[in-house]
Amino acid sequence: MKRLRRLRQNEIVRDLVRETRLSVKDFIYPIFVIDGENIKTPVKSMPNIYQYSIDRLAEILDKVRESKITGIMLFGIPKTEDKDEFGSKAYAEDGITQRAVRYIKKNYPEIYCIVDVCLCEYTSHGHCGLVKNGKILNDETLPLLSKMAVSLVKSGADMVAPSDMMDGRVAAIREALDLEGFINTPIMAYSAKFASAYYGPFRDAAHSAPCFGDRRSYQMDFANGKEALKEIESDIEEDADIVMVKPALAYLDVLKKASEIYNMPFAVYNVSGEYSMVKAAAMQGWIDEKRIVTENLIAMKRAGAKIIITYHALDMAKWLNE
Ligand code: PBG
Ligand code: ZN
């Protein structure tokens, strides 16, 4: 008989043979920054997640610093009256994200600041691209995304992460950054981003729900695994530095397969709905939060993620540090 249980007899030997470990260095913590003063508003559908105005960002950035998490992903929320059909404030020098990045890099220079590049928080219609006659335009959106990326990098962003799912945006953004001399600023592409109900709570948090239709003409059909490989491949060809699969848990098959095929660092986005489901059950006392979160995050890493973008990052860092 083969005795596989020999290596499970105590924690020392289990530790020795353990294949996957979590580190605070794996995590990117998403932060919502909202235009205005003295704001710390709880996101109702995301327990313990808040929208902060710039003057109160320190409350969360201090926690990030203490936790030893090295990177954040920033989402800006403009005033409703500042939204327009072109998402102008997404690429304005005085835009909320631009101001937030300048504040962060001035006061927390050691925190690696990744910015989400997408128009949906800034457009009056809530779509990720320009809209004409009810259709989302692809090519016309690319220059705007490029302008947004350049203006955020000029403000001090360390990395840009386009999440819009327009075709050709990685190449367009790369070219625009290079033209401005930002040849060393990496692009983390939301490559295999599926049209998912798991983004529901995020859209409350970021005020970015589309006001008509849905995102299925640009985000991927969740029935398709092979197509995800095509998306990833085309972003690699366009010189993405890091590729992402999003959401995480229902898409670990995609992550596993892609990370075995492509010699690239893979990121996975453990999205809002995934977070909120765990939180809700934990708050009821139905599950053991620490153990469930550890199991989920380990699964993402085991499936091939190098980087995990997760709202659990602060909690997990606390558990890892204790
Ligand atoms: C913006 C964007 C979304 C998320 C990240 N960037 C929402 C969407 O595409 O509708 C989702 C993140 C989450 O659910 O936590 N395009
Ligand atoms: Zn968007």
Side-chain angles (χ1 to χ4, degrees):
M1 182 172 22
K2 264 217 172 251
R3 293 197 183 274
L4 292 170
R5 291 185 53 197
R6 270 181 219 118
L7 297 179
R8 295 176 201 151
Q9 294 310 302
N10 62 55
E11 186 55 20
I12 296 177
V13 72
R14 285 195 295 269
D15 228 359
L16 279 172
V17 300
R18 186 162 296 128
E19 297 172 33
T20 313
R21 271 175 227 281
L22 293 170
S23 152
V24 288
K25 294 197 163 63
D26 299 330
F27 305 138
I28 299 292
Y29 185 63
I31 292 180
F32 299 103
V33 58
I34 189 163
D35 206 349
E37 272 103 60
N38 193 25
I39 302 171
K40 180 183 175 187
T41 308
V43 178
K44 273 203 204 75
S45 50
M46 298 181 74
N48 211 22
I49 300 291
Y50 300 82
Q51 304 162 328
Y52 299 89
S53 52
I54 293 177
D55 56 357
R56 294 191 64 176
L57 262 185
E59 293 175 35
I60 190 71
L61 293 170
D62 286 345
K63 288 189 186 151
V64 170
R65 184 184 258 167
E66 278 160 39
S67 73
K68 307 229 165 24
I69 290 168
T70 50
I72 59 169
M73 171 86 98
L74 205 58
F75 295 95
I77 311 160
K79 295 199 160 116
T80 310
E81 65 262 30
D82 280 343
K83 299 190 185 203
D84 63 28
E85 61 177 311
F86 311 107
S88 306
K89 284 289 184 188
Y91 36 89
E93 212 199 308
D94 66 348
I96 175 62
T97 318
Q98 283 78 358
R99 280 182 282 134
V101 171
R102 286 197 290 269
Y103 169 85
I104 294 167
K105 292 316 290 188
K106 179 159 177 263
N107 297 286
Y108 299 82
E110 80 284 8
I111 295 183
Y112 196 81
C113 190
I114 307 172
V115 288
D116 186 87
V117 172
C118 196
L119 300 183
C120 54
E121 289 101 328
Y122 304 89
T123 49
S124 40
H125 44 71
H127 277 289
C128 303
L130 285 177
V131 171
K132 196 173 176 186
N133 303 329
K135 293 249 188 293
I136 289 78
L137 303 176
N138 192 90
D139 300 16
E140 292 79 352
T141 300
L142 301 182
L144 304 186
L145 295 166
S146 302
K147 268 167 75 173
M148 181 179 185
V150 166
S151 101
L152 289 165
V153 172
K154 277 187 179 159
S155 303
D158 295 296
M159 185 188 282
V160 294
S163 69
D164 51 283
M165 287 301 279
M166 297 300 123
D167 291 323
R169 88 265 206 226
V170 172
I173 291 172
R174 183 73 271 158
E175 191 187 337
L177 289 175
D178 289 356
L179 265 174
E180 295 285 337
F182 298 116
I183 56 169
N184 285 322
T185 303
I187 299 176
M188 173 161 68
Y190 286 71
S191 302
K193 177 172 176 178
F194 292 88
S196 170
Y198 283 104
Y199 309 151
F202 173 94
R203 292 179 190 168
D204 295 340
H207 302 165
S208 66
C211 71
F212 69 89
D214 55 43
R215 302 212 199 288
R216 285 183 294 175
S217 78
Y218 41 108
Q219 298 181 350
M220 282 188 59
D221 182 339
F222 54 72
N224 299 352
K226 288 183 181 169
E227 189 189 348
L229 299 180
K230 272 169 84 176
E231 281 285 2
I232 291 165
E233 197 165 302
S234 81
D235 284 355
I236 295 171
E237 273 166 22
E238 293 178 33
D239 204 17
D241 299 278
I242 299 170
V243 286
M244 192 201 296
V245 174
K246 175 190 174 188
L249 291 172
Y251 301 88
L252 293 185
D253 58 327
V254 173
L255 175 62
K256 174 77 177 159
K257 189 159 192 181
S259 65
E260 284 174 352
I261 296 177
Y262 302 109
N263 294 322
M264 292 288 290
F266 272 76
V268 71
Y269 200 138
N270 178 207
V271 300
S272 55
E274 299 177 303
Y275 170 84
S276 298
M277 289 197 307
V278 169
K279 278 283 175 188
M283 285 162 74
Q284 296 286 329
W286 292 341
I287 56 166
D288 180 328
E289 183 176 0
K290 175 179 168 181
R291 289 180 55 206
I292 292 270
V293 172
T294 305
E295 192 172 329
N296 283 350
L297 298 180
I298 284 272
M300 293 168 208
K301 221 172 155 180
R302 195 185 62 233
K306 195 72 205 58
I307 299 167
I308 303 174
I309 303 158
T310 179
Y311 304 96
H312 294 294
L314 280 179
D315 289 333
M316 195 65 232
K318 190 184 75 204
W319 296 323
L320 288 170
N321 290 332
E322 73 194 15

